[in-house]
Amino acid sequence: METRLRLHEGVVAWTASVETAGLGRLEHGDMGRPALERMLVDQMLALLEVAARRDPQAGELLEKLICGQAP
């Protein structure tokens, strides 16, 4: 799979998770905002880590972004 497509797919999946978690919080109110934020950040980091492991180009791109370098 193309590197940018792999990263895009990960972001789309994460966005769906954000929407679902946010709606769940509004409906049920069983998770506080700080816990929800931590969970969503952890999910994004996990998705990016998997993308980087499976696609060396994605790993290189993410490393540059983390270091503040333009891709």
Side-chain angles (χ1 to χ4, degrees), residues 5-67:
L5 180 59
R6 183 180 304 276
L7 294 173
H8 175 76
E9 297 267 330
V11 170
V12 169
W14 181 76
T15 302
S17 181
V18 169
E19 291 173 357
T20 302
L23 289 173
R25 180 176 183 261
L26 289 173
E27 186 175 332
H28 304 290
D30 55 352
M31 182 181 286
R33 182 177 175 164
L36 178 64
E37 289 174 354
R38 280 191 305 275
M39 180 187 75
L40 293 172
V41 169
D42 288 347
Q43 287 179 354
M44 174 57 87
L45 293 173
L47 284 166
L48 294 174
E49 183 179 346
V50 169
R53 275 197 226 149
R54 295 199 175 160
D55 184 337
Q57 285 183 310
E60 291 172 18
L61 177 61
L62 291 169
E63 186 67 33
K64 286 180 182 178
L65 292 171
I66 290 167
C67 293

